Amino acid sequence: MAILDEIEVSIISDGRPLVEYDDPDREDQNNALTTERYIEAITGSRFAIRYTIKPTFHLHHAQGVHVSIFADGRYATGRNIREDKLGRREWTETVTTMTYFCHDRNVWMDAEMAFGSLQIVENASDKSSGFATEDLGTLNVEFCRVLKRRFDGPELADLNNAIVGEVSEKALKGRAITNSVTGLNGSARTGPLPASDYTAMSGEYGQPLSFKFYYRSRNALQIIGCIPRGPSPDLVEQSGSVSTASRTADSKKTHRDPKTLSKAEEIQRLRARLAELGGDSAITKGKGKVKTEPSSGGLGIKRERAGQGASSQKRTKTVEVIDLTEG
């Protein structure tokens, strides 16, 4: 939950506040007038904006507070909270709808707020040309101390703002934005939102308090570094399967029943066993190099006498014949 000057703001979806993330690469994202957070946007999910003004919030002689909500840089809706509702009790409100202009029907609409899918095209239509691309992917909630105007009746605001459904890839300038704010279950209204009949205070206390929420997909939040990357479940499962299969194969090789071995496998196994026991010393007491060669009758063992030079004629003596193929 973001907090500034005794005001709390959070984005609600499915009845719960969305988890807020700090930008790991920025140190100046919070100051006395502005706070910035990242949130995860799930395409098609509805959301609401909930704010609470504490009783300890000081009006500084203002006559009320004006709340302005901007979606993707366009004015979505607003509220005036009179001074008699503040100061003695906590004021909480949840905003679920916004107002926008529908070009297809040529009417103004009220609709529930939701995260829509943003189409990335080569050339965007003129319908989405009235917004600043740097504000795309942003929810901005502003609070301003205001004074009552001295004339009767509000003026109608000229807010020809539409939902951003598509944007050119060039306009994004490499930013990983795949969503925009859209409206669900909309209904037509007679006109745009009326202008506020309050005006901002002048001076230090008239500056707005801004709560900015940058909504991104989970993949984009991982790229930014807000959410740590984890191993892919498919890779973990695959690695586990390979490891298990390998261990099973090794186990079968090690604990194989000797009765199922062929003669060639039995000979190979005996050779390995002889090498472990020091085959030449186990068979003969002589010293020297031992070389084993297969013969027609079994295994012949040849040895070179120790101390003979390279020019000496090698003598071959068959010490013993062991037939490992029998039995």
Side-chain angles (χ1 to χ4, degrees):
M1 180 179 295
I3 302 176
L4 278 178
D5 197 6
E6 304 303 317
I7 298 177
E8 300 176 351
V9 180
S10 58
I11 309 299
I12 308 296
S13 185
D14 290 332
R16 295 175 296 179
L18 294 180
V19 178
E20 300 172 6
Y21 304 95
D22 291 329
D23 188 341
D25 297 327
R26 293 187 60 181
E27 298 179 356
D28 58 343
Q29 57 188 350
N30 299 306
N31 54 56
L33 298 175
T34 303
T35 181
E36 299 177 354
R37 295 288 189 274
Y38 279 91
I39 57 175
E40 181 180 355
I42 300 177
T43 303
S45 62
R46 295 177 175 85
F47 69 88
I49 298 173
R50 179 177 296 168
Y51 56 84
T52 298
I53 302 177
K54 300 289 187 179
T56 49
F57 176 77
H58 204 298
L59 283 172
H60 295 288
H61 306 293
Q63 296 174 312
V65 172
H66 182 73
V67 185
S68 301
I69 297 177
F70 299 88
D72 298 328
R74 58 182 177 78
Y75 186 77
T77 189
R79 301 284 192 278
N80 285 320
I81 307 173
R82 300 192 308 269
E83 60 178 323
D84 59 335
K85 297 181 179 180
L86 303 172
R88 296 184 179 180
R89 59 178 178 177
E90 185 174 277
W91 179 265
T92 298
E93 188 173 6
T94 302
V95 181
T96 60
T97 61
M98 65 176 182
T99 299
Y100 66 96
F101 186 77
C102 179
H103 285 279
D104 294 334
R105 299 175 57 182
N106 199 34
V107 295
W108 286 88
M109 304 282 291
D110 288 328
E112 298 176 7
M113 292 183 290
F115 295 117
S117 178
L118 182 65
Q119 302 298 320
I120 311 299
V121 297
E122 185 175 352
N123 295 310
S125 64
D126 295 336
K127 296 178 182 180
S128 59
S129 60
F131 74 101
T133 54
E134 59 267 20
D135 293 325
L136 190 61
T138 305
L139 292 170
N140 188 12
V141 186
E142 291 187 353
F143 297 82
C144 187
R145 296 177 177 90
V146 292
L147 299 172
K148 183 73 173 179
R149 287 185 176 177
R150 297 183 179 277
F151 54 83
D152 297 328
E155 296 176 339
L156 290 180
D158 183 15
L159 299 173
N160 190 16
N161 55 347
I163 288 177
V164 181
E166 61 182 30
V167 66
S168 66
E169 185 175 1
K170 182 178 180 181
L172 287 179
K173 300 179 180 179
R175 292 186 298 160
I177 298 178
T178 57
N179 295 94
S180 64
V181 174
T182 189
L184 298 178
N185 302 323
S187 59
R189 55 178 291 137
T190 57
L193 292 170
S196 172
D197 55 352
Y198 286 82
T199 184
M201 291 180 62
S202 59
E204 176 185 357
Y205 299 117
Q207 300 183 59
L209 302 172
S210 180
F211 296 78
K212 292 185 178 181
F213 297 90
Y214 302 112
Y215 60 89
R216 299 290 188 272
S217 66
R218 187 170 187 83
N219 182 60
L221 292 176
Q222 290 176 334
I223 294 174
I224 296 171
C226 297
I227 300 178
R229 289 180 176 271
S232 171
D234 296 336
L235 293 178
V236 172
E237 183 178 354
Q238 182 180 0
S239 176
S241 301
V242 171
S243 178
T244 302
S246 179
R247 288 196 298 269
T248 303
D250 292 342
S251 176
K252 288 181 178 179
K253 290 180 181 179
T254 304
H255 302 289
R256 187 174 175 181
D257 188 355
K259 294 181 181 180
T260 63
L261 296 175
S262 65
K263 289 186 178 296
E265 290 174 331
E266 187 177 358
I267 292 173
Q268 183 178 6
R269 190 173 184 180
L270 287 172
R271 281 179 176 173
R273 180 62 178 164
L274 287 174
E276 293 177 1
L277 298 176
D280 59 329
S281 60
I283 296 174
T284 179
K285 296 181 181 180
K287 297 181 180 180
K289 297 181 180 179
V290 178
K291 182 179 181 181
T292 60
E293 293 181 354
S295 65
S296 59
L299 292 178
I301 301 180
K302 298 180 181 180
R303 67 178 181 182
E304 180 182 342
R305 289 186 180 180
Q308 284 187 337
S311 61
S312 300
Q313 185 178 1
K314 295 182 181 179
R315 298 177 60 189
T316 303
K317 181 179 179 180
T318 302
V319 178
E320 185 178 357
V321 176
I322 303 175
D323 190 354
L324 300 179
T325 64
E326 296 180 358

